[in-house]
Every structure is written in structure tokens, then in C-alpha cells.
Coordinates of all heavy atoms in Angstrom, one line a residue:
A665 N 7.9 2.0 5.8 CA 8.6 1.4 4.7 C 8.9 0.0 4.9 O 8.8 -0.8 4.0 CB 9.9 2.3 4.3
E666 N 9.3 -0.3 6.1 CA 9.6 -1.8 6.4 C 8.4 -2.6 6.3 O 8.4 -3.7 5.9 CB 10.2 -1.8 7.8 CG 10.6 -3.2 8.3 CD 11.2 -3.2 9.6 OE1 11.4 -2.1 10.2 OE2 11.5 -4.4 10.1
G667 N 7.2 -2.0 6.9 CA 6.1 -2.8 7.0 C 5.4 -3.1 5.6 O 4.8 -4.0 5.3
Y668 N 5.5 -2.2 4.6 CA 4.7 -2.3 3.4 C 5.7 -2.3 2.2 O 5.6 -3.2 1.3 CB 3.7 -1.2 3.2 CG 2.5 -1.3 4.1 CD1 2.5 -0.9 5.3 CD2 1.6 -2.3 3.7 CE1 1.5 -1.0 6.2 CE2 0.5 -2.4 4.5 CZ 0.5 -1.8 5.8 OH -0.6 -2.1 6.6
A669 N 6.5 -1.4 2.0 CA 7.4 -1.3 0.8 C 8.2 -2.7 0.7 O 8.3 -3.2 -0.3 CB 8.3 -0.1 0.8
G670 N 8.8 -3.1 1.9 CA 9.5 -4.3 1.8 C 8.7 -5.5 1.6 O 9.1 -6.5 1.0
G671 N 7.5 -5.6 2.2 CA 6.6 -6.7 2.0 C 5.9 -6.9 0.8 O 5.6 -8.0 0.3
Y672 N 5.6 -5.8 0.0 CA 4.7 -5.8 -1.1 C 5.4 -5.4 -2.4 O 4.9 -5.7 -3.5 CB 3.5 -5.0 -0.9 CG 2.6 -5.5 0.2 CD1 2.3 -4.7 1.3 CD2 2.1 -6.8 0.1 CE1 1.5 -5.2 2.3 CE2 1.3 -7.3 1.2 CZ 1.0 -6.4 2.2 OH 0.2 -6.9 3.2
A673 N 6.5 -4.7 -2.3 CA 7.1 -4.2 -3.6 C 7.5 -5.3 -4.5 O 7.4 -5.2 -5.7 CB 8.4 -3.4 -3.2
G674 N 7.7 -6.5 -4.0 CA 8.1 -7.6 -4.8 C 7.0 -8.1 -5.7 O 7.2 -8.7 -6.8
G675 N 5.7 -7.8 -5.3 CA 4.6 -8.3 -6.1 C 4.2 -7.2 -7.1 O 3.2 -7.4 -7.8
H676 N 4.8 -6.0 -7.1 CA 4.3 -4.9 -8.0 C 4.9 -5.0 -9.4 O 6.1 -5.2 -9.5 CB 4.6 -3.6 -7.4 CG 4.4 -2.4 -8.2 ND1 3.2 -2.2 -8.8 CD2 5.2 -1.4 -8.6 CE1 3.2 -1.1 -9.5 NE2 4.4 -0.6 -9.4
T677 N 4.1 -4.9 -10.4 CA 4.7 -4.9 -11.8 C 4.4 -3.7 -12.4 O 4.7 -3.5 -13.7 CB 4.0 -6.0 -12.5 OG1 2.5 -5.8 -12.5 CG2 4.3 -7.5 -11.9
G678 N 4.0 -2.6 -11.7 CA 3.8 -1.3 -12.4 C 2.4 -1.1 -12.7 O 1.6 -1.9 -12.8
G679 N 2.2 0.3 -13.0 CA 0.8 0.6 -13.5 C 0.0 1.1 -12.4 O 0.2 1.0 -11.2
H680 N -1.1 1.8 -12.7 CA -2.1 2.2 -11.8 C -2.8 1.1 -11.1 O -3.0 0.1 -11.7 CB -3.1 3.1 -12.5 CG -3.9 3.9 -11.5 ND1 -5.2 3.4 -11.1 CD2 -3.7 5.2 -11.1 CE1 -5.7 4.3 -10.3 NE2 -4.9 5.3 -10.3
P681 N -3.3 1.3 -9.8 CA -3.9 0.1 -9.2 C -5.2 -0.3 -10.0 O -5.6 -1.6 -9.8 CB -4.4 0.8 -7.9 CG -3.5 1.8 -7.7 CD -3.1 2.4 -8.9
G682 N -5.8 0.5 -10.7 CA -7.0 0.1 -11.5 C -6.7 -0.9 -12.5 O -7.5 -1.7 -12.9
G683 N -5.4 -1.0 -13.0 CA -5.1 -2.0 -13.9 C -4.3 -3.1 -13.5 O -3.7 -3.9 -14.3
S684 N -4.2 -3.3 -12.2 CA -3.3 -4.3 -11.7 C -4.0 -5.6 -11.8 O -5.2 -5.7 -11.5 CB -2.9 -4.0 -10.2 OG -4.1 -3.9 -9.5
G685 N -3.4 -6.7 -12.0 CA -3.9 -7.9 -12.3 C -4.0 -8.7 -10.9 O -3.3 -8.4 -10.0
G686 N -4.8 -9.8 -10.8 CA -4.9 -10.6 -9.6 C -4.4 -12.0 -9.8 O -4.7 -12.9 -9.1
A687 N -3.7 -12.2 -10.9 CA -3.3 -13.6 -11.1 C -1.9 -13.9 -10.4 O -1.0 -13.0 -10.3 CB -3.1 -13.9 -12.6
H688 N -1.7 -15.1 -10.0 CA -0.4 -15.5 -9.5 C 0.1 -16.7 -10.3 O -0.3 -16.9 -11.5 CB -0.6 -16.0 -8.1 CG -1.5 -17.2 -7.9 ND1 -1.0 -18.5 -8.0 CD2 -2.7 -17.4 -7.8 CE1 -2.0 -19.4 -7.8 NE2 -3.1 -18.7 -7.7
G689 N 1.2 -17.3 -9.9 CA 1.9 -18.1 -10.8 C 1.1 -19.4 -11.1 O 1.2 -20.0 -12.1
G690 N 0.1 -19.7 -10.3 CA -0.7 -20.9 -10.6 C -1.8 -20.7 -11.6 O -2.4 -21.6 -12.1

């Protein structure tokens, strides 16, 4: 949980992986 949930949960916006986007703020 420390290695992944803490490091990546902030970038998750919900939804199945197949529908996740690859855009960032730029």
C-alpha cells in the first residue's frame, strides 16, 4: 500500500483502466 496506493492514487480519476486518459496538465 505504501509503495503504490500512496504513490499513484493521486493520479487516479476513476474508471476502468481501459478508459483512463494519458493527458497531464500540460
Side-chain angles (χ1 to χ4, degrees):
E666 180 181 356
Y668 285 94
Y672 292 124
H676 173 55
T677 58
H680 191 273
S684 60
H688 64 91

